[in-house]
Amino acid sequence: MNEVPKQTTKVAALAGGVGGAKLAHGLQMALEPGALSVVVNTADDMTLWGLHISPDVDTVMYTLAGVANRELGWGIEGETWRNTEMMARYGRDPWFRLGDMDLATHILRTEMLRDGRTLTEVTADLAGALGVPSLILPMCDERVETLVSTEAGNLPFQEYFVQRRHADRVIGFTFRGIVDSVPTPQVLDTLEAAEAIIFCPSNPFVSTGPILAVPGMREAIEAAPAPRVGVSPIVGGAALKGPAADMLDALGHEVSPYGVALLYRGLLDGFVIDREDEAHSERIRELGMEVLVTGTVMKSDEDRERLARDVLGFALGLKERRGA
Ligand code: FO1
């Protein structure tokens, strides 16, 4: 793929965890250094052992830095777990494991935040040190916390997701603190300057959901001149990773790319679906979106870059539709 020239197009991508990070990585490979900004969900941040953990920011950061643990889908490649073992010796339940190298990220983030720096500044500092050639932008600098309403009660996101292995049937979500949050100036600038806005294949409820729920974010995306394109996180009736399919089902939505497209109705100009789901194309077009059918499953770096190029080509082809 090296012979294909890199694009200088400015791109803003909205992302949550693993699926979002993979496409962001593809976009980074396809674009000139500095052309990509990734707006990342921070509503599954948590405090553990007194440290500020930002799981989605870190998944994106490690992936774009080329140090992600591909086996686990989170954390750092070649990680060791001595700290977790010691926590267990102290009798603490290490249900949320912080690797020894990963711990350095959380210690420094917590220290810099305590020194009065914003999450945006801290993230730029950490990502810069890891050599990430893209901007990683937390959706806001205020603390927002996803609570998942289930039959077992309102669960903090990581308790629902990791501790209870997303086994509880979901009734709804609350983003605690969201009403007091605002998109950062960096996010607003990025959206305004973007030539394409890409909604990565992330969970529409707990990844892109909180990003869009930041007051003013949806309006900023709607006001942006760039074409807006989403990539389905559902392929063939299942989520590639995580509980997106179960959540769609539990909340009464169709478990298909159409079900996801319906959630983004009015916001997206185009939607990218897998070849396996081609039969849904016409119904999605009826929602007022153009449709691109291509291979969306990203198993290798080549898959990531090829999908990114397909998505970019599709988005730029929609420019006229947006009058951009
Ligand atoms: N996911 C797990 O399934 N188990 C863990 O112990 C775990 C620890 C962890 C530590 C740091 C980090 O940045 C992420 C971590 N994750 C873990 C992943 C993470 O909780 C989820 O993948 C995302 O929040 C979902 O987007």
Side-chain angles (χ1 to χ4, degrees):
M1 287 225 182
N2 281 342
E3 69 282 3
V4 183
K6 294 207 182 238
Q7 300 192 25
T8 50
T9 318
K10 282 188 185 159
V11 174
L14 272 55
V18 183
K22 284 183 179 177
L23 183 59
H25 187 213
L27 289 165
Q28 180 175 274
M29 288 189 272
L31 294 163
E32 286 287 353
L36 174 68
S37 301
V38 191
V39 179
V40 185
N41 171 42
T42 56
D44 43 0
D45 287 17
M46 71 185 295
T47 303
L48 184 67
W49 319 125
L51 300 174
H52 183 122
I53 322 290
S54 235
D56 282 359
V57 167
D58 289 344
T59 298
V60 171
M61 181 169 79
Y62 296 149
T63 303
L64 296 189
V67 300
N69 188 321
R70 289 178 187 233
E71 215 174 296
L72 286 176
W74 50 271
I76 300 172
E77 193 182 9
E79 188 59 279
T80 53
W81 306 95
R82 303 300 303 275
N83 160 71
T84 298
E85 286 159 25
M86 196 63 188
M87 285 290 177
R89 276 191 70 181
Y90 279 124
R92 306 301 173 101
D93 174 8
W95 62 269
F96 197 82
R97 298 189 297 148
L98 299 182
D100 302 330
M101 289 190 279
D102 189 31
L103 201 50
T105 307
H106 312 309
I107 291 170
L108 290 177
R109 173 185 295 117
T110 306
E111 184 189 65
M112 289 191 268
L113 289 172
R114 211 181 295 133
D115 287 345
R117 300 180 64 198
T118 64
L119 188 60
T120 302
E121 290 166 349
V122 170
T123 304
D125 200 318
L126 295 171
L130 294 183
V132 175
S134 305
L135 265 185
I136 301 175
L137 299 174
M139 65 186 197
C140 63
D141 282 325
E142 297 77 18
R143 195 71 186 258
V144 176
E145 228 184 307
T146 298
L147 294 175
V148 185
S149 304
T150 71
E151 278 151 16
N154 275 348
L155 304 170
F157 182 76
Q158 298 299 344
E159 275 180 48
Y160 156 80
F161 190 85
V162 175
Q163 193 171 29
R164 300 171 68 92
R165 296 164 203 272
H166 47 82
D168 300 275
R169 196 170 172 82
V170 171
I171 301 166
F173 308 96
T174 313
F175 305 129
R176 192 194 271 159
I178 200 100
V179 289
D180 298 318
S181 71
V182 283
T184 63
Q186 293 86 345
V187 167
L188 292 176
D189 286 351
T190 283
L191 291 172
E192 208 186 320
E195 291 163 80
I197 299 178
I198 313 294
F199 288 39
C200 289
S202 297
N203 186 308
F205 300 109
V206 293
S207 293
T208 50
I211 299 177
L212 295 172
V214 174
M217 187 72 81
R218 185 178 275 268
E219 292 77 3
I221 292 172
E222 277 167 0
R228 307 180 291 253
V229 162
V231 181
S232 178
I234 300 288
V235 174
L240 291 172
K241 198 162 193 304
D246 290 343
M247 287 178 177
L248 281 164
D249 184 45
L251 298 170
H253 301 276
E254 185 177 303
V255 186
S256 73
Y258 175 81
V260 178
L262 201 51
L263 294 171
Y264 291 136
R265 187 182 204 169
L267 200 53
L268 294 184
D269 304 298
F271 204 56
V272 181
I273 64 174
D274 195 76
R275 285 198 191 90
E276 199 176 322
D277 293 308
E278 187 158 15
H280 293 281
S281 306
E282 214 34 60
R283 297 167 71 214
I284 297 174
R285 285 197 185 98
E286 282 163 14
L287 297 175
M289 300 175 196
E290 299 288 333
V291 175
L292 173 71
V293 180
T294 186
T296 64
V297 181
M298 293 173 277
K299 291 207 171 114
S300 63
D301 280 2
E302 288 70 30
D303 291 341
R304 294 177 186 188
E305 185 173 352
R306 189 207 35 79
L307 177 60
R309 288 181 184 277
D310 285 356
V311 171
L312 282 175
F314 176 52
L316 296 177
L318 298 177
K319 248 187 188 173
E320 259 134 58
R321 196 185 137 103
R322 300 271 305 143

